[in-house]
Amino acid sequence: MWSSSSKSGGGGNSGARPPHDITSKEGLRQLYNSKVVHAEQLKRPLGNSSTMVGPLYHTGVRATLEDGRKVLIHKGGGYGVSSETVVTDAKHMGGRWVPQGRGHEVKGATVSDFVKAGGPNYSRSSDNCQHGAARMMDLSEGQHPIQRLMNMPKK
């Protein structure tokens, strides 16, 4: 799903379909097949808050595509239609997002791969934005999530 989130960086659409920058199936296909060359995990305060408290924050991955475009890939309850992991043009992110760790080069992954790693379903306790972003960063580092859990070296 390609959505243009509000400037506040909020999500959820209360059942209404969100506005889109890409309006054709061909445009979506091209976006999802775009190669990601750089990934960086970002975080922002929850909801309309201006501060982050401990582990209570929203997170996602800003991906730079081969053609130089930047997109935010993140998940949340009610964010998408067929998947709760959505792709948003980075120009719609707003100013509350800050880097969480260092970004790095990505080889061989597409936007579609990142969306799949984020996961289609949302659960506040077991498959939220932080879980999805961690899987996307594992993918971008060429590491399988099981390797991370077992502290195994990367391939």
Side-chain angles (χ1 to χ4, degrees), residues 31-57:
L31 173 67
Y32 273 60
N33 289 332
S34 295
K35 291 191 178 187
V36 175
V37 297
H38 188 265
E40 174 183 28
Q41 190 166 350
L42 304 174
K43 64 182 180 178
R44 68 158 172 79
L46 290 173
N48 293 322
S49 176
S50 60
T51 58
M52 288 178 263
V53 180
L56 301 177
Y57 54 84

Side-chain angles (χ1 to χ4, degrees), residues 24-97:
S24 71
K25 287 182 182 180
E26 177 62 18
L28 282 174
R29 187 188 64 72
Q30 288 177 353
L31 173 67
Y32 273 60
N33 289 332
S34 295
K35 291 191 178 187
V36 175
V37 297
H38 188 265
E40 174 183 28
Q41 190 166 350
L42 304 174
K43 64 182 180 178
R44 68 158 172 79
L46 290 173
N48 293 322
S49 176
S50 60
T51 58
M52 288 178 263
V53 180
L56 301 177
Y57 54 84
H58 182 60
T59 187
V61 173
R62 180 171 48 197
T64 303
L65 309 182
E66 196 170 42
D67 64 7
R69 287 182 294 165
K70 293 181 189 276
V71 296
L72 174 67
I73 308 169
H74 62 132
K75 81 183 296 179
Y79 278 25
V81 176
S82 61
S83 174
E84 299 295 359
T85 299
V86 297
V87 181
T88 305
D89 190 310
K91 69 184 177 189
H92 299 295
M93 286 174 49
R96 297 184 309 142
W97 291 91

Side-chain angles (χ1 to χ4, degrees), residues 2 7 10 42-43 46 83 99 109 116 138 150:
W2 177 261
K7 289 252 184 215
L42 304 174
K43 64 182 180 178
L46 290 173
S83 174
K116 287 175 189 170
D138 287 345
M150 299 180 72

